[in-house]
């Protein structure tokens, strides 16, 4: 049984309809504020989704092939405190609910936690705070920024995706010491800094957070392992597929017949975004506008248009989250965190 926590009654009603139609797993939708949720309330559930919105994380787990009976938590904390569209109050904003979410994590200690936030939150120290909190409780953390165009979507929508894993906490001390000793030996032999970039693997709790990345220089920009793994299957499919890599400058031309990289090892058609028109816009740029019928209800005058815009606007792109989850699953299967490179 799944647990969905969503304070917005309209989004909560949307979740219930998605459950009825079988698009997301069966579960209980709790409309209380997360500030009212206690650890005791969560003990009966296998997968818990906080700030659930319209079920994007639940759907992403399915796309990635995450087993339905494998425990996991997800949470996309409110972005308004850190979004460019907000007031810029950051941690001083009353909607900064990470401390509340973290307290539930600290007390319930789920083995896996996935989350998402606007990329601009990094500049406000949000990721540093999240990583510091989780690492203080023995979690290993990893994060990367991915755009929706990475999976063929016609918009950029850069978002910060992060994951925390408690399974390897007992090994982190010895791994950290071996890495440090190995790194120092290479530095002594080569005279070059060979530190590990914290965004390219699941960071261990004794390593510094993002505040230490600037010393990596070019080395850090070339070893983003998570970002590479999210596009491994895409790269292997060849340039003829018309897919766009996360580091590209946008959507590839002639992608109308593209096929998507698989999630959880299963190939899916990219037809959801492949049918589009090139529309000239007022700013002089030409943009891809999908002609998929499901986008039509967003037109002015359609009933519940604002509700749908709000739901879609606050949602994650499940296909992007699925790539991030799949990359983590690949790292786990390869036991990357137990290896000293």
């Amino acid at each position: 049984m799944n647990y969905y926590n969503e304070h917005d009654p309209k989004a909560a009603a949307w979740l219930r309809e998605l459950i009825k139609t079988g698009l997301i797993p069966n579960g209980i939708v709790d409309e209380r504020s997360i500030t009212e949720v206690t650890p005791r309330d969560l003990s009966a559930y296998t997968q818990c989704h906080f700030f659930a919105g319209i079920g994007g994380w639940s759907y992403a787990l399915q796309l990635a092939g995450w087993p339905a009976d494998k425990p996991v938590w997800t949470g996309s904390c409110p972005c308004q405190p850190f979004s460019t569209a907000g007031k810029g109050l950051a941690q001083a904003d009353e909607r900064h609910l990470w401390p509340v979410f973290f307290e539930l994590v600290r007390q319930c200690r789920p083995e896996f936690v996935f989350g998402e936030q606007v990329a601009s939150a990094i500049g406000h120290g949000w990721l540093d705070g999240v990583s510091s909190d989780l690492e203080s409780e023995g979690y290993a953390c990893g994060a990367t920024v991915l755009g929706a165009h990475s999976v063929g979507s016609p918009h950029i929508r850069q978002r910060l995706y992060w994951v925390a894993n408690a399974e390897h906490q007992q090994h982190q001390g010895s791994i950290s010491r071996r890495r440090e000793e190995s790194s120092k030996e290479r530095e002594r032999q080569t005279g070059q800094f060979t530190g590990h970039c914290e965004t390219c693997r699941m960071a261990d709790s004794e390593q510094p957070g993002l505040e230490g990345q600037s010393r990596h220089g070019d080395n850090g920009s070339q070893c983003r392992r998570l970002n590479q793994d999210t596009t491994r299957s895409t790269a292997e499919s060849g340039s003829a597929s018309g897919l766009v890599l996360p580091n590209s400058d946008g959507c590839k031309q002639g992608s109308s017949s593209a096929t998507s990289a698989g999630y959880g090892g299963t190939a899916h058609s990219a037809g959801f975004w492949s049918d589009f028109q090139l529309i000239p816009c007022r700013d002089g740029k030409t943009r891809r506008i999908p002609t998929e019928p499901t986008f039509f209800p967003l037109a002015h005058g359609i009933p519940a248009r604002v509700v749908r815009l709000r739901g879609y606007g606050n949602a994650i792109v499940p296909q992007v989250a699925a790539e991030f989850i799949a990359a983590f699953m690949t790292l786990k299967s390869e036991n990357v965190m137990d290896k000293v490179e």
Side-chain angles (χ1 to χ4, degrees):
M1 179 71 74
N2 282 14
Y3 172 84
Y4 302 91
N5 181 255
E6 175 51 57
H7 191 44
D8 183 341
K10 291 184 173 60
W14 199 329
L15 283 170
R16 294 187 179 97
E17 289 301 315
L18 291 171
I19 291 172
K20 285 182 182 179
T21 58
L23 291 175
I24 60 176
N26 188 31
I28 300 299
V29 179
D30 184 358
E31 293 187 34
R32 292 180 299 166
S33 166
I34 190 175
T35 60
E36 302 174 38
V37 179
T38 68
R40 182 179 299 178
D41 298 329
L42 308 172
S43 60
Y45 301 101
T46 303
Q47 299 183 356
C48 298
H49 305 287
F50 298 87
F51 318 104
I54 58 175
W57 273 111
S58 180
Y59 186 54
L61 288 166
Q62 295 180 75
L63 289 176
W66 189 277
D69 59 351
K70 187 172 185 176
V72 64
W73 279 24
T74 70
S76 295
C77 293
C79 66
Q80 292 89 344
F82 308 98
S83 173
T84 55
K87 297 181 180 180
L89 298 178
Q91 285 81 356
D93 196 305
E94 64 181 5
R95 292 166 295 185
H96 172 51
L97 293 175
W98 164 251
V100 180
F101 185 31
F102 171 64
E103 184 59 22
L104 289 174
V105 172
R106 189 187 69 80
Q107 294 190 51
C108 297
R109 301 201 61 79
E111 185 175 342
F112 305 102
V113 186
F114 288 99
E116 171 264 359
Q117 183 57 274
V118 291
S120 57
I122 297 175
H124 293 279
W126 187 86
L127 181 58
D128 283 334
V130 168
S131 299
S132 178
D133 287 343
L134 290 167
E135 289 171 2
S136 71
E137 291 298 318
Y139 281 85
C141 305
T144 192
V145 174
L146 296 172
H149 66 288
S150 304
V151 293
S153 171
H155 62 309
I156 304 299
R157 201 175 179 86
Q158 297 275 18
R159 292 295 184 268
L160 168 68
Y161 288 88
W162 58 270
V163 61
N165 177 21
E167 182 181 12
H168 290 265
Q169 58 183 297
Q170 66 269 29
H171 303 305
Q172 294 304 310
S174 60
I175 293 173
S176 177
R177 286 190 294 273
R178 291 199 302 270
R179 283 178 178 168
E180 184 177 356
E181 291 169 0
S182 178
S183 226
K184 287 181 178 179
E185 179 61 22
R186 286 195 297 271
E187 289 176 27
R188 185 186 67 78
Q189 294 177 1
T190 65
Q192 298 178 349
F193 176 76
T194 56
H196 295 284
C197 176
E198 293 302 324
T199 58
C200 70
R201 58 180 59 81
M202 303 300 102
D204 61 68
S205 59
E206 296 184 16
Q207 295 275 350
L210 288 180
E211 68 277 4
Q213 286 189 19
S214 59
R215 65 179 182 177
H216 294 184
D218 292 338
N219 207 33
S221 65
Q222 296 173 5
C223 65
R224 300 183 182 276
R225 177 64 183 275
L226 262 179
N227 203 18
Q228 292 170 1
D229 278 355
T230 58
T231 59
R232 178 186 299 168
S233 56
T234 299
E236 291 174 351
S237 67
S239 59
S241 68
L243 291 174
V244 182
L245 301 182
N247 292 328
S248 69
D249 58 359
C251 300
K252 184 172 180 178
Q253 295 294 323
S255 60
S256 59
S257 61
T259 55
S260 172
Y263 305 116
T266 303
H268 292 263
S269 170
F272 186 79
W273 286 304
S274 63
D275 188 10
F276 63 87
Q277 296 178 351
L278 293 175
I279 305 296
C281 300
R282 291 182 179 179
D283 59 4
K285 297 181 180 180
T286 300
R287 293 181 171 85
R288 286 199 312 159
I289 305 299
T291 57
E292 164 64 39
T294 55
F295 286 85
F296 289 169
L298 300 183
H300 180 70
I302 299 298
R305 172 176 176 266
V306 174
V307 174
R308 297 183 186 189
L309 281 172
R310 184 174 181 179
Y312 295 146
N314 287 330
I316 66 170
V317 178
Q319 290 81 357
V320 181
E323 289 285 4
F324 183 77
I325 295 167
F328 174 74
M329 294 169 69
T330 299
L331 290 173
K332 289 284 294 176
S333 65
E334 294 176 352
N335 294 317
V336 170
M337 287 191 295
D338 288 333
K339 297 178 181 178
V340 178
E341 299 181 2

